Amino acid sequence: RHRPAAAHGNDDAELRNHVRSPEGAARALPRRCYQIGTIAPVRRPGPVVVYASSLGNYFIEEVRALLAAGLRRAGRHVVEADERRGWLPGAALHLVVAPHEFFYAGRGQALRRAPWPKQVVLYNTELLSSLWHPLAERLYGRAAAVWDVEAAGARWAAAAGPRAAHVPLGWAPSRLLAPVRRLPRPAERAWLESPDPGPNLRWARRPVDVLFVGTRTKRRELFLADAGPALARHRSCLLIRAGSRPARP
């Protein structure tokens, strides 16, 4: 465990020059991130409440479930919640997943404008190159700490002042993350042969060699255009959406 070294005067400017390159951002600063054990330690009794927006992308709820499962395995009492009931009373820690969604839709907007409890930790899921990252970043100064799914994002947060840590998603048993035995019909019609061949089919007989799922960005468009000849040599499935609105089932 270590404390972050004092930043040089031009570190923040240098990091901002690398905003479009997460790899460059990771190199621009010395290691200034706290280890996870020093971030907003839970000393008070009460549950850890993990929040995600009820109006955001559906997969953020899966991120919430995974973080909650990991905290439970670490011995904490965990409650999963969303913005509709506000800050739950009696919590030892409020962990907000994807603040760029939580505080900018529905009742989350009122929570953004109102005073916050002391022990609020923001879990950022947006890459530095994302259009939505600034929405989360402008809230960092109000948080007790920032956890970031990306190492470069955690260093960026540390440069802005709050205690920060790189907290990549691991895996822990969770009902929501149980294996999917059969794909929903829209996914089958999008590409996969019906019926679903299952996970034990030989590699040579599997219907998909390369799967890409994501929103449309300029960087991804350039990559996929360059990779077109290579993708054409394989059975490739590209599921790309505009990304202007949250993905909901």
Side-chain angles (χ1 to χ4, degrees), residues 6-21:
H8 298 289
N10 63 348
D11 276 343
D12 188 55
E14 184 179 359
L15 186 59
R16 290 187 177 277
N17 289 335
H18 292 78
V19 63
R20 297 191 180 278
S21 171

Side-chain angles (χ1 to χ4, degrees), residues 90-166:
L93 191 73
H94 302 273
L95 177 59
V96 179
V97 181
H100 71 284
E101 292 185 355
F102 184 83
F103 290 108
Y104 294 91
R107 296 185 179 179
Q109 298 176 82
L111 294 177
R112 185 182 80 244
R113 294 188 290 264
W116 289 8
K118 290 183 178 180
Q119 289 290 86
V120 174
V121 174
L122 303 179
Y123 186 79
N124 176 54
T125 59
E126 292 296 292
L127 303 182
L128 286 174
S129 58
S130 166
L131 294 175
W132 312 113
H133 186 274
L135 295 180
E137 183 184 0
R138 67 183 59 169
L139 302 172
Y140 286 177
R142 301 181 63 185
V146 174
W147 294 357
D148 202 295
V149 73
E150 181 191 26
R155 296 190 185 186
W156 180 286
R163 294 191 295 174
H166 176 212

Side-chain angles (χ1 to χ4, degrees), residues 190-191 208-217 219-224 227 231 235-241:
W191 178 263
V208 174
D209 295 317
V210 180
L211 172 65
F212 177 87
V213 181
T215 55
R216 185 185 304 275
T217 67
R219 183 180 180 185
R220 289 172 179 173
E221 288 178 349
L222 292 173
F223 168 78
L224 293 173
L231 293 172
R235 291 167 294 187
S236 302
C237 177
L238 309 180
L239 302 179
I240 303 174
R241 53 186 301 273

